[in-house]
Amino acid sequence: MSTDVATIAEEYYDSPDADAFYFSVWGGEDIHIGLYDDEHRAVRDASVRTVAAMADLVDRPAGTRVLDLGAGYGGSARYLAKAKGWHVTCLNISEVQNDRNREMNDEAGLSGLVDVEHGSFEDVPGPADAYDVVWSQDAFLHSGSRTTVLDEIARVSRPGADLVFTDPMQTDSCPDGVLDPILERIHLDSLASPGFYRRELGARGFTEVAFLERAHQLRNHYATVREELQARDDLPASDEYVERMIEGLGHWVNGADSGYLTWGILHFKA
């Protein structure tokens, strides 16, 4: 990440308040947008459904090498290791999350299939052509240089590799200023859009396989997390943090209601 944005993100996710919120309210092992229906309203269950839906898009044998960019607490990596027998490298900027990730891998007996590395997805450690699958969930929005992220993905992807990711995005028709309350909180001047990913990945030799657009699930997720946070009185986080988070989640709900936010599962081939 660009230095300022990376430092802000690292300090934020390493803070006790953020760790308490994301691990206890947002979903624990999985801290990304979920897939909800009338029978799956719990954040954790909906989040696992997203992982399963993404994994179903990729037909690869056991031993497949996967890079999870912005892996958080590693829930997706453990799912892929258990369900697919894939070897997953988690790259994540928060050492607090990384420590929890390593502990849960040890507890699950998956340390041999899941590696955890501290670092930025704008400067991926390791050689070129190293991975069969590059995976990410709702992380790229935090980058101050998304084209650099895509350069790194292209560098480390083997020929024919799968790129599967989700990201909260602005629509291609989003006018300036509409999403400012959201952007100010994440210290950026824009979000990516579907058109951005299609154009930039195409320029790097990737072919689009599918875009499973599920914009309504973004609203469902932020509204559900907000409701759960408001209902909690035992969260080990400061009142100031909780109040700011409730306000921030409301901005995402309002942005979704404006029709200028979108989200979904994107699948490309190198």
Side-chain angles (χ1 to χ4, degrees):
M1 300 181 185
S2 59
T3 303
D4 290 344
V5 176
T7 300
I8 290 168
E10 185 168 14
E11 291 177 351
Y12 171 72
Y13 284 108
D14 278 346
S15 70
D17 282 344
D19 183 51
F21 167 68
Y22 286 100
F23 194 72
S24 301
V25 178
W26 192 284
E29 289 187 75
D30 298 288
I31 51 173
H32 49 256
I33 290 170
L35 295 175
Y36 297 79
D37 61 22
D38 291 340
E39 296 180 359
H40 297 84
R41 297 303 303 175
V43 173
R44 183 179 179 84
D45 292 344
S47 298
V48 174
R49 293 180 78 209
T50 303
V51 179
M54 293 172 67
D56 285 346
L57 296 177
V58 182
D59 184 15
R60 295 268 181 176
T64 289
R65 303 286 304 191
V66 182
L67 175 64
D68 185 353
L69 296 174
Y73 298 112
S76 298
R78 283 183 290 280
Y79 179 96
L80 297 176
K82 287 186 286 187
K84 300 275 196 174
W86 294 349
H87 189 290
V88 186
T89 297
C90 297
L91 182 67
N92 195 57
I93 201 168
S94 167
E95 278 288 40
V96 170
Q97 293 177 350
N98 291 341
D99 286 343
R100 284 191 184 268
N101 190 354
R102 294 183 185 103
E103 290 172 5
M104 287 187 282
N105 294 335
D106 289 341
E107 291 169 1
L110 293 171
S111 296
L113 283 176
V114 181
D115 301 324
V116 182
E117 296 190 19
H118 176 257
S120 165
F121 41 50
E122 291 177 6
D123 186 16
V124 177
D129 301 333
Y131 296 99
D132 306 297
V133 178
V134 177
W135 176 287
S136 184
Q137 292 177 265
D138 305 334
F140 296 159
L141 78 158
H142 294 297
S143 173
S145 179
R146 296 184 192 101
T147 54
T148 302
V149 176
L150 301 184
D151 286 340
E152 284 293 88
I153 290 171
R155 182 181 69 82
V156 301
S157 295
R158 291 172 176 160
D162 291 278
L163 168 61
V164 185
F165 68 101
T166 62
D167 202 33
M169 298 172 284
Q170 62 188 48
T171 62
D172 291 318
S173 61
C174 182
D176 292 340
V178 173
L179 302 179
D180 282 353
I182 294 171
L183 298 173
E184 289 169 5
R185 288 184 62 85
I186 56 178
H187 308 283
L188 294 171
D189 56 9
S190 69
L191 299 174
S193 67
F196 167 84
Y197 284 124
R198 288 179 172 125
R199 180 179 67 254
E200 296 297 333
L201 286 168
R204 289 161 177 79
F206 286 81
T207 302
E208 181 178 351
V209 179
F211 174 31
L212 307 180
E213 187 167 18
R214 303 289 186 270
H216 65 288
Q217 297 289 6
L218 182 148
R219 189 197 192 281
N220 287 344
H221 187 82
Y222 282 97
T224 302
V225 171
R226 189 171 189 264
E227 290 166 5
E228 293 206 9
L229 180 58
Q230 289 174 313
R232 292 286 298 269
D233 57 9
D234 60 341
L235 188 69
S238 68
D239 291 342
E240 180 184 4
Y241 178 87
V242 171
E243 291 171 4
R244 286 190 290 108
M245 183 56 67
I246 289 171
E247 179 184 9
L249 292 166
H251 291 324
W252 283 97
V253 173
N254 294 337
D257 288 341
S258 76
Y260 291 116
L261 284 177
T262 190
W263 178 86
I265 301 172
L266 298 98
H267 182 195
F268 288 79
K269 277 272 193 183

